[in-house]
Protein backbone atom coordinates (compact mmCIF):
# COMPACT_ATOMS: atom_id res chain seq x y z
CA UNK A 1 0.00 0.00 0.00
CA UNK A 2 1.27 3.43 -0.87
CA UNK A 3 2.14 5.60 2.17
CA UNK A 4 -0.42 8.24 1.21
CA UNK A 5 -3.15 5.59 0.99
CA UNK A 6 -2.07 4.12 4.34
CA UNK A 7 -2.24 7.56 5.93
CA UNK A 8 -5.69 8.11 4.41
CA UNK A 9 -6.92 4.79 5.84
CA UNK A 10 -5.51 5.64 9.26
CA UNK A 11 -7.07 9.10 9.19
CA UNK A 12 -10.45 7.65 8.22
CA UNK A 13 -10.15 5.11 11.04
CA UNK A 14 -9.55 7.70 13.78
CA UNK A 15 -11.77 10.49 12.38
CA UNK A 16 -14.99 9.38 14.13
CA UNK A 17 -13.25 9.31 17.51
CA UNK A 18 -11.66 12.72 16.95
CA UNK A 19 -14.89 14.37 15.83
CA UNK A 20 -16.96 12.77 18.59
CA UNK A 21 -14.41 13.75 21.22
CA UNK A 22 -14.48 17.37 20.11
CA UNK A 23 -18.26 17.52 19.78
CA UNK A 24 -18.90 16.03 23.20
CA UNK A 25 -16.43 18.43 24.81
CA UNK A 26 -18.06 21.38 23.06
CA UNK A 27 -21.68 20.41 23.72
CA UNK A 28 -21.15 19.40 27.36
CA UNK A 29 -20.37 23.03 28.12
CA UNK A 30 -24.04 23.84 27.58
CA UNK A 31 -25.51 20.72 29.20
CA UNK A 32 -23.60 20.44 32.45
CA UNK A 33 -22.89 22.96 35.17
CA UNK A 34 -19.43 24.52 35.17
CA UNK A 35 -17.05 23.14 37.77
CA UNK A 36 -13.85 24.84 38.81
CA UNK A 37 -11.87 21.62 38.71
CA UNK A 38 -12.81 20.65 35.13
CA UNK A 39 -9.97 20.89 32.60
CA UNK A 40 -10.23 23.21 29.62
CA UNK A 41 -12.01 22.44 26.37
CA UNK A 42 -8.89 21.41 24.46
CA UNK A 43 -7.72 19.02 27.18
CA UNK A 44 -11.16 17.41 27.44
CA UNK A 45 -11.41 17.09 23.65
CA UNK A 46 -7.96 15.49 23.47
CA UNK A 47 -8.67 13.02 26.28
CA UNK A 48 -12.08 12.12 24.83
CA UNK A 49 -10.51 11.58 21.41
CA UNK A 50 -7.78 9.36 22.83
CA UNK A 51 -10.38 7.29 24.67
CA UNK A 52 -12.32 6.98 21.42
CA UNK A 53 -9.30 5.86 19.41
CA UNK A 54 -8.48 3.24 22.04
CA UNK A 55 -12.05 1.92 21.88
CA UNK A 56 -11.97 1.78 18.08
CA UNK A 57 -8.63 -0.03 18.12
CA UNK A 58 -9.95 -2.47 20.71
CA UNK A 59 -13.05 -3.12 18.62
CA UNK A 60 -10.88 -3.77 15.58
CA UNK A 61 -8.67 -6.15 17.58
CA UNK A 62 -11.59 -8.07 19.10
CA UNK A 63 -13.91 -8.34 16.09
CA UNK A 64 -11.34 -8.22 13.30
CA UNK A 65 -13.44 -5.67 11.40
CA UNK A 66 -13.74 -1.91 11.53
CA UNK A 67 -17.09 -0.24 11.97
CA UNK A 68 -19.13 -2.87 13.81
CA UNK A 69 -22.24 -1.49 15.49
CA UNK A 70 -21.13 -2.76 18.90
CA UNK A 71 -17.88 -0.83 18.52
CA UNK A 72 -19.75 2.34 17.59
CA UNK A 73 -22.06 1.95 20.60
CA UNK A 74 -19.09 1.37 22.89
CA UNK A 75 -17.36 4.41 21.36
CA UNK A 76 -20.29 6.68 22.24
CA UNK A 77 -20.61 5.22 25.74
CA UNK A 78 -16.88 5.45 26.45
CA UNK A 79 -16.55 9.06 25.25
CA UNK A 80 -19.65 10.12 27.19
CA UNK A 81 -18.32 8.40 30.33
CA UNK A 82 -14.95 10.03 29.85
CA UNK A 83 -16.55 13.47 29.59
CA UNK A 84 -18.72 12.77 32.62
CA UNK A 85 -15.61 11.87 34.63
CA UNK A 86 -13.68 14.91 33.38
CA UNK A 87 -16.58 17.22 34.26
CA UNK A 88 -16.90 15.48 37.66
CA UNK A 89 -20.51 14.58 36.97
CA UNK A 90 -20.92 12.67 40.21
CA UNK A 91 -20.63 15.94 42.15
CA UNK A 92 -23.43 17.71 40.27
Amino acid sequence: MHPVAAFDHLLNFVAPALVLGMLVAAVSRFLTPKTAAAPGWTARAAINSIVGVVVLAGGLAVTGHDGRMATWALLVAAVATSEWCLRRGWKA
Side-chain angles (χ1 to χ4, degrees):
M1 182 181 298
H2 193 269
V4 174
F7 179 73
D8 184 46
H9 282 284
L10 180 64
L11 186 62
N12 287 325
F13 177 73
V14 299
L18 298 176
V19 170
L20 185 64
M22 288 187 283
L23 283 176
V24 167
V27 170
S28 74
R29 174 180 177 218
F30 302 108
L31 298 177
T32 58
K34 183 174 181 168
T35 59
W41 180 86
T42 54
R44 289 193 337 267
I47 292 169
N48 290 339
S49 297
I50 290 169
V51 167
V53 169
V54 169
V55 167
L56 289 178
L60 178 62
V62 170
T63 64
H65 291 74
D66 178 27
R68 297 277 180 164
M69 288 306 292
T71 305
W72 291 107
L74 189 58
L75 170 67
V76 171
V79 170
T81 303
S82 170
E83 182 67 21
W84 181 76
C85 290
L86 289 170
R87 299 283 291 189
R88 301 201 181 4
W90 63 88
K91 291 184 177 183

